[in-house]
Amino acid sequence: MAMAVRVFLLLFILFSSSTTPSFSLYEDQVGLMDWYQQYIGKVKQAVFHTQKAGRKRVVVSTEENVVASLDLRHGEIFWRHVLGSNDAIDGLDIALGKYVITLSSEGSVIRAWNLPDGQMIWESFLQGSKPSKSLLSVPANVKVDKNNLILVFSKGVLHAISGLDGEVVWEKDFAAESIEVQQIIQPSGSDVIYAIGSVGSSQFDAYEINARNGEFLKKNGAVFPSGFSGEMLLVSDDLVVALDATKSSLVNINFKDGIKFQQTDLSDLEGGSSGTAKLLPLKLKEIFAVEINAFVVFISVTGQGKLEVVDKLSNTVVVSDQLLLLEGQQAVALVHHGDGKIYLTVKLVNDWSNDLLKESTVIDHQRGFVHRVFINNYIRTDRSHGFRALVVMEDHSLLLLQQGEIVWSREDGLASIVSVATSELPVERDGVSVAKVEENLFEWLKGHLLKLKGTLMLASPEDVVAIQGMRLKSSEKSKMTRDHNGFRKLLIVLTRAGKLFALHTGDGRVVWSLLLPSLCNSACTNPTGLSIYQWQVPHHHALDENPSVLIVGRCGQSSDAPGVLSFVDTYTGKEINSLSLAHSIVQVIPLPYTDSTEQHLHLLIDVDQHAYLYPRTAEAISIFQREFSNVYWYSVDANSGTIKGHALKGNCASAREVLDEYCFDSRDVWSVVFPSDTEKIIATVTRKSNEVVHTQAKVIADHDVMYKYISKNLLFVATVVPKASGEIGTATPEEAWLVVYLIDTITGRILHRMTHHGSQGPVHAVFSENWVVYHYFNLRAHRYETSVIEIYDQSRAAANNDLWKLILGKHNLTSPISLYSRTEVVVKSQSYFFTHTVKAISVTSTAKGITSKQLLIGTLGDQVLALDKRFLNPRRTVNPTQAEREEGIIPLTDSLPIIPQSYVTHALRVEGLRDIVTVPAKLESTTLVFAYGVDLFYTRIAPSRTYDSLTEDFSYALLLLTIVALVAAIFITWVLSEKKDLRDKWR
């Protein structure tokens, strides 16, 4: 009997230890619940490195401030560096055949990176006092010498920098000169550097500088009576071309032996056509391109300085920089898009009529038009020249074309996501083929056999790899139907290029993509995508209706630009409808009402605070009219320091005095004006409109009850002294303070105000239920701080124990809540030190709001940290009572703990992290987390652990063995008991 009990206890301990939840991640669990994707963004500069020794690669810089080295065979990233949002790359080149040189921060920082592995070799900071154009000139030779200088012109100073160690050899300051330097030229093999540019609009100056010591050798200047319009292009080592002030004439400027001007009317070159011209900023020699009258005109310069038109093409043609061939010839690529194909033509600069290459490649029309092209050559087996073209498309994708085929492509538009929404997948239909069942049965048996071998520790390394591969390719994970736990969804993301992607949460693959026709067309100039909103979300039984989303954009960069609406089916990725609006869009208010087709009503606010109702249907207007008096909104003007509350007044009239039944005038209900000399708005945040609160009551120690002040109309506002609104350190602790407010947006009432002396921004905040958490910098302590504010409804707790009022129906818990009643509130707050700089902050959300909350903090290291909300409880004390400990209150410390196992992103970095989006799953314990920046990361987390389901790694085999062992133990115990009873009876 005792032996059986010992066996039972041993099995119970083994079973308990195998099912205990753990924060660690096993090797075969990588990618099971999360996925990670790396991107670089829209390429703006590219330099090929295709020498015979070493791997062929292309080094690129992007609009996301990324410098990266890509494999030319597959497009994979060898290495990359994200320089930061304030460190834009101005120039890129390769020096000495082994260093990648980048110039960034408006010419303030120059770095050298090791070409093979991307390690930084040296870094130099360049000083100057005069804002100017940034120019980078890297010598073409690969001679490793101290005298091999890199020339940088920035902030009014010409710097000569050693390519070996980044040391500034000499500087020449042009601050005292009034010249605006346009070009820095050092002819090959010459010890003279030419700095040329304009003074004012008519003076042209050329400085000759000694390349060894930076001394001025000579200055030439001359006045051109017609004036210059701006940019100058270098055509040869002694000739530049500019446009005159009217942009109707070209001016040749020879600057070596005195300044000589030669003017040519464009009408003479163009055969009598007139119009203003634009010089295309291409790096070509002996030829240049001018855009005029929707055409690109290629013009060559003869030996006598005369101009001749070489070719005339549509302005849809994209031209590459010149490519130097082995024979000393120069080639250029022309690319245009049409009929679903990309047409690539390579020409010789000195023999324009001869086409070195002419081919076409079929392209997906969802990629849009060609924006940039970079070419490289290679030698074929027959010793002829072959060419490869790196093409940047309108949707920011990157393609490598070779021999009429797409060698590889990258969806780098996903590095610039501006808005995210989610969509449910279709319901799984009944009826499955027998073949599919048999295949699934075989895979099921094979998978369980491998898992059993893994559980019994009999799996070989190949079996472990197979187990991981089967988990990653699990049909349950990547199916295109919804699951009962709500883990499988579509992430609908909008990029800065105006392209919509649907990403599957199972493995991150692109299900469909759509370059929005309403935003990306010729009628919409400078399109800007604003945000995505849920438009139609049919009930789960309405299988004949597909859900759709609303994409709001504008045709222009300014706030008064006309708006554009696009309605997209989330299952098929097709645009259902689009509207080009006559009014602007500065704010979109999703209303909590739907019509009979389950379309959500939206109010679109223009720059004049007129409200427009969509959809524009009779049913929508009838629903809206019933709730007309309950519609309020607010607007924040950070420049003037004003927050205003608005309500509807009546229909607005058009220019013809005709009432528009879908347009409404607004009236100002309240306003809060912050004094401009002491407070500047730097952050505002409010609750999510779809957040679910499980209960308003909060049971605290000694069985007392506090009632949360729950309102979707609360606004958190943070202001600082204008002097402290810049970077950290711009103001002293005595000069800086941070003020935070909780404002009711219906009445304008300030419910709470608190001042943090000696503190400043930036402020990142998140608002959930009745609490707000915000992060800022404490100048006195020289550390970051995180504060929490919780607001409670005191009036509802005042008569909590009055039973007779509750029986008679006079208790305040039974009375309706109105924001116009002056509710008595009580606020609790606490501050803690926090180690990390914060880039984004969010909070977990679940289906019913029962699960405890976790804060998701995006750190400066581009990782996501999960922090339990209990650490930010304002009721924490140094020595909590026994009742408070039972409630779960943690003893007070001055700093928030950072647990290494709490990093949601594990060891990964979401480079350029911008935002963290949380989506509730149907399973109450689980939250879906999507973090995006230059990279994308997705996972699902359980803040209170998976209390309502078994984990993915639950050992069913061990459970089966435990049950068998328990049955055997029971049988053995019964036999032993029977024998013992028999022996006792014989006694």
Side-chain angles (χ1 to χ4, degrees), residues 720-730 760-762:
V720 294
V721 184
K723 188 175 182 179
S725 61
E727 295 182 355
I728 295 173
T730 54
Q760 71 169 101

Side-chain angles (χ1 to χ4, degrees), residues 332-542:
V332 65
L334 309 176
V335 177
H336 70 278
H337 185 278
D339 301 327
K341 293 183 179 180
I342 290 180
Y343 296 91
L344 171 66
T345 305
V346 179
K347 293 178 177 289
L348 285 174
V349 171
N350 56 358
D351 186 10
W352 197 264
S353 60
N354 183 21
D355 294 337
L356 290 179
L357 178 71
K358 196 168 187 178
E359 60 188 23
S360 62
T361 306
V362 178
I363 192 73
D364 182 6
H365 70 281
Q366 293 296 343
R367 297 191 183 276
F369 296 101
V370 178
H371 273 199
R372 295 187 184 96
V373 60
F374 309 91
I375 61 167
N376 177 244
N377 71 306
Y378 60 93
I379 305 300
R380 296 193 181 104
T381 53
D382 59 357
R383 311 304 300 171
S384 62
H385 284 289
F387 295 91
R388 56 175 71 94
L390 190 70
V391 179
V392 183
M393 303 300 294
E394 185 179 3
D395 66 343
H396 298 185
S397 61
L398 187 65
L399 315 175
L400 183 71
L401 308 182
Q402 188 172 330
Q403 297 180 356
E405 299 290 337
I406 299 176
V407 180
W408 51 260
S409 64
R410 294 179 52 88
E411 291 288 358
D412 283 304
L414 288 169
S416 58
I417 294 175
V418 296
S419 184
V420 180
T422 58
S423 173
E424 293 288 348
L425 286 164
V427 177
E428 188 170 8
R429 304 283 185 171
D430 295 331
V432 182
S433 65
V434 176
K436 187 173 182 180
V437 171
E438 290 177 350
E439 180 184 357
N440 288 345
L441 180 61
F442 175 74
E443 293 294 331
W444 182 82
L445 292 173
K446 180 181 176 182
H448 276 270
L449 180 61
L450 285 173
K451 288 181 181 179
L452 181 60
K453 290 176 67 177
T455 303
L456 300 177
M457 299 182 183
L458 300 176
S460 63
E462 292 78 12
D463 292 336
V464 173
V465 173
I467 293 171
Q468 183 178 6
M470 290 183 66
R471 285 181 172 179
L472 292 176
K473 297 178 181 178
S474 171
S475 59
E476 289 298 319
K477 175 182 175 180
S478 57
K479 287 174 65 175
M480 282 300 298
T481 55
R482 66 182 70 176
D483 60 315
H484 65 280
N485 287 330
F487 294 160
R488 293 196 298 263
K489 296 179 186 291
L490 289 180
L491 293 170
I492 312 298
V493 300
L494 175 66
T495 67
R496 194 171 60 242
K499 190 169 185 178
L500 210 60
F501 290 88
L503 307 177
H504 196 291
T505 57
D507 51 10
R509 71 182 186 275
V510 177
V511 178
W512 54 259
S513 61
L514 174 67
L515 188 64
L516 294 170
S518 52
L519 279 177
C520 303
N521 57 36
S522 57
C524 188
T525 57
N526 298 320
T528 305
L530 295 182
S531 192
I532 308 175
Y533 299 90
Q534 299 287 353
W535 178 251
Q536 187 176 23
V537 185
H539 196 259
H540 68 275
H541 61 74

Side-chain angles (χ1 to χ4, degrees), residues 236-283:
S236 64
D237 289 340
D238 59 353
L239 185 69
V240 294
V241 173
L243 283 170
D244 71 344
T246 63
K247 296 186 179 181
S248 59
S249 298
L250 290 168
V251 184
N252 294 357
I253 309 171
N254 195 308
F255 56 86
K256 264 199 174 179
D257 301 322
I259 308 298
K260 300 175 184 177
F261 299 108
Q262 186 174 349
Q263 186 173 2
T264 306
D265 288 337
L266 284 169
S267 58
D268 297 337
L269 294 172
E270 272 282 276
S273 62
S274 60
T276 58
K278 175 186 176 184
L279 285 174
L280 298 184
L282 303 173
K283 297 178 181 178

Side-chain angles (χ1 to χ4, degrees), residues 624-632 647-648 667 820:
F624 184 71
Q625 289 291 354
R626 292 196 296 267
E627 304 292 341
F628 185 86
S629 60
N630 295 325
V631 177
Y632 296 84
L648 297 174
R667 56 186 175 90
Y820 283 104

